[in-house]
Amino acid sequence: MAWIRSEGGFVNERLAAARSGVSAAAADRGLFAAEDVPSEAVVAVPLACCIAVATRDAPPGARLEHELALRLLVEASDAASPFAPYLATLPRDAAAFPVTWASAELARLFPDPGDPLPVAVAAERAAADAAWAGGISARFAAS
């Protein structure tokens, strides 16, 4: 929150940065209302705090998520990155990402077949499999 404010942004004083969840490793990170917030602005994030990718520079067929992941890796590799305060808040453990969870665990936690999280994970896994089968693995085989 201090970083957003230092860049000219606004974070309502009624908000607090906190974790939710049963343990720090499995917790969601975010801003939560520490008290009732009447109809007023809660957060204004300046563009200087936004990590974006220029889609016009992306190669044909590139997925925006991949371009963003690459940008995050580039920023994370630079200790002087202006995004270092934000990047420091991101989880470092792959177990925090549902796409890495076993299918059986997802089914146990989300038994409703229409639940959006397992549906999104399945779609992401299918897209990764297709990308691997359609190009990445072929490039490795050719080398």
Side-chain angles (χ1 to χ4, degrees), residues 44-62:
V45 180
L47 286 176
C49 295
C50 297
I51 298 176
V53 293
T55 55
R56 68 182 179 282
D57 298 333

Side-chain angles (χ1 to χ4, degrees), residues 8-27:
F10 168 78
V11 179
N12 191 300
E13 294 296 329
R14 293 183 174 97
L15 299 181
R19 294 175 184 253
S20 66
V22 294
S23 71

